[in-house]
Amino acid sequence: MDGMESGSGTVAGQLNIEFYGYLFGFENLWLTESLRNMWIISAAMIVVAVLIRIGMSKWDPDNPTGVQNAVEAIIETFHNYVRSVMGDKYAYYGNWYFTVFFLILFSNLSGLVLLRNPTADITLTFAFSLTTFAIIHVSGIIRSKGNYFKGYLAPHPVMLPLNIIGEIAPAISLAMRLFGVVVGGLTVSVLVYNVAPWPARIGFPALIHGYFDLFSGVLHAFIFLTLSLVFIRNKLPE
Amino acid sequence: MELLPLELVMAFSALGAGVAVCAGLCTAIGQGFVAGKTVEGIARQPEARGSLMSTMLIGCAISETSGIYGLVIALILLFANPFM
């Protein structure tokens, strides 16, 4: 960050998403900083996943070592958690949310390596929450059949408009929560880097990144996972 | 209709952003209740500490939502103002 001069112009400029150009020459496909950072994170995740998959061929299920221990522990913990929320019957929803959880987690943590968090762009958080919205309703229609539509008329048909709002609100709330938390942390760290007097730039940013990126980032990736699973579970029959 | 001068719009947007962040007050009170009740629970049953802590963190984050909405409104007023 080269902005030594303070002032609202610099800070507002730092908070805006940088724009690099058009994709494939289409005028309405923008290559922005969020998109670039998302690609970097996805590429890193794909490389790690492929390396683990290649290494997996040499693994011995009876005496695990090194990486195998870590990977098994992560996947087992995750699936046990999903099973405790969804029940054994619907534990397979964890397969999709494993990817989403780690994508959100690494997006939130990317502030630690001075990449602008892709989750600080509302389009990304809305993309995640709309996939959850689609899963809630598609799996609700497929699994609970007629009861799904009866749910809108409960407890009385007069409640129909309120029920519809109640179905749309969770999607907006999921997206806004993640966006607000990440962009709030980003704003504070940009202010500390640019506006605060110079003694505040020694050591103090570590505290800021520790709280907003590590603690809040991990917590809110977990919150997104938990709330998505609970919303889906509520629409499914026993 | 006479249009407002830009300076006035900017000044009131900044004021509005400040007022919007006051949503954090209620969030702080709510999170205080959550933390206090968790401490009571841990004092009564220290062995349940682990599950109480994780439930408390989720409860805190959910009750944080209203404060975050205020923050989002403040940020929109400051950086993506629809009135300017």
Side-chain angles (χ1 to χ4, degrees):
Chain A
M1 302 218 174
D2 56 347
M4 288 297 281
E5 71 276 13
S6 60
S8 61
T10 325
V11 176
Q14 295 245 335
L15 281 173
N16 283 335
I17 297 162
E18 271 183 52
F19 168 75
Y20 295 115
Y22 299 111
L23 279 181
F24 316 118
F26 289 111
E27 290 244 321
N28 42 12
L29 279 181
W30 301 339
L31 175 57
T32 59
E33 201 179 358
S34 306
L35 194 55
R36 186 201 62 176
N37 293 351
M38 198 71 232
W39 284 349
I40 294 173
I41 292 164
S42 319
M45 283 176 70
I46 290 170
V47 167
V48 170
V50 168
L51 285 180
I52 288 175
R53 183 64 191 83
I54 291 170
M56 208 181 269
S57 55
K58 296 192 206 77
W59 286 359
D60 177 10
D62 295 326
N63 67 43
T65 51
V67 185
Q68 187 181 358
N69 275 326
V71 171
E72 282 181 358
I74 290 170
I75 291 179
E76 211 170 291
T77 314
F78 187 88
H79 281 282
N80 281 340
Y81 179 70
V82 173
R83 199 163 287 130
S84 75
V85 178
M86 302 290 284
D88 285 336
K89 200 175 161 194
Y90 300 115
Y92 57 83
Y93 283 96
N95 299 340
W96 163 253
Y97 278 103
F98 187 81
T99 317
V100 171
F101 173 73
F102 276 93
L103 207 52
I104 295 176
L105 181 66
F106 288 123
S107 308
N108 288 350
L109 291 180
S110 68
L112 294 175
V113 290
L114 290 182
L115 285 175
R116 191 187 195 280
N117 310 83
T119 31
D121 189 345
I122 200 164
T123 51
L124 182 71
T125 58
F126 255 106
F128 284 135
S129 82
L130 286 179
T131 54
T132 294
F133 183 75
I135 292 175
I136 291 172
H137 292 285
V138 172
S139 64
I141 290 172
I142 292 174
R143 294 275 159 201
S144 50
K145 311 250 163 45
N147 289 330
Y148 173 82
F149 296 103
K150 268 181 217 154
Y152 284 99
L153 299 178
H156 191 269
V158 180
M159 297 288 279
L160 180 66
L162 267 179
N163 282 337
I164 291 173
I165 293 172
E167 296 302 325
I168 297 168
I172 298 173
S173 143
L174 269 181
M176 284 294 191
R177 180 182 296 116
L178 190 57
F179 167 74
V181 161
V182 177
V183 88
L186 191 77
T187 312
V188 172
S189 58
V190 167
L191 286 177
V192 166
Y193 279 124
N194 290 290
V195 179
W198 67 266
R201 274 177 234 141
I202 305 167
F204 189 58
L207 203 67
I208 297 279
H209 283 295
Y211 178 77
F212 285 112
D213 288 338
L214 270 178
F215 175 73
S216 180
V218 174
L219 182 63
H220 278 271
F222 184 66
I223 300 281
F224 188 94
L225 168 75
T226 308
L227 287 181
S228 303
L229 291 178
V230 169
F231 288 144
I232 294 172
R233 187 69 188 87
N234 286 343
K235 281 283 167 196
L236 295 173
E238 279 306 311
Chain B
M1 196 182 88
E2 199 178 332
L3 288 176
L4 289 172
L6 189 62
E7 288 77 14
L8 199 63
V9 175
M10 284 167 76
F12 275 100
S13 299
L15 202 61
V19 173
V21 173
C22 288
L25 280 176
C26 315
T27 305
I29 294 170
Q31 288 190 337
F33 275 125
V34 174
K37 289 286 179 190
T38 312
V39 171
E40 269 177 30
I42 292 176
R44 204 170 291 151
Q45 210 178 350
E47 65 271 19
R49 188 192 161 87
S51 63
L52 280 176
M53 284 296 274
S54 57
T55 315
M56 182 196 80
L57 285 178
I58 294 174
C60 275
I62 292 171
S63 62
E64 212 173 61
T65 311
S66 60
I68 291 168
Y69 287 163
L71 179 72
V72 169
I73 290 170
L75 288 170
I76 288 173
L77 281 176
L78 287 180
F79 298 112
N81 198 325
F83 306 116
M84 284 201 287

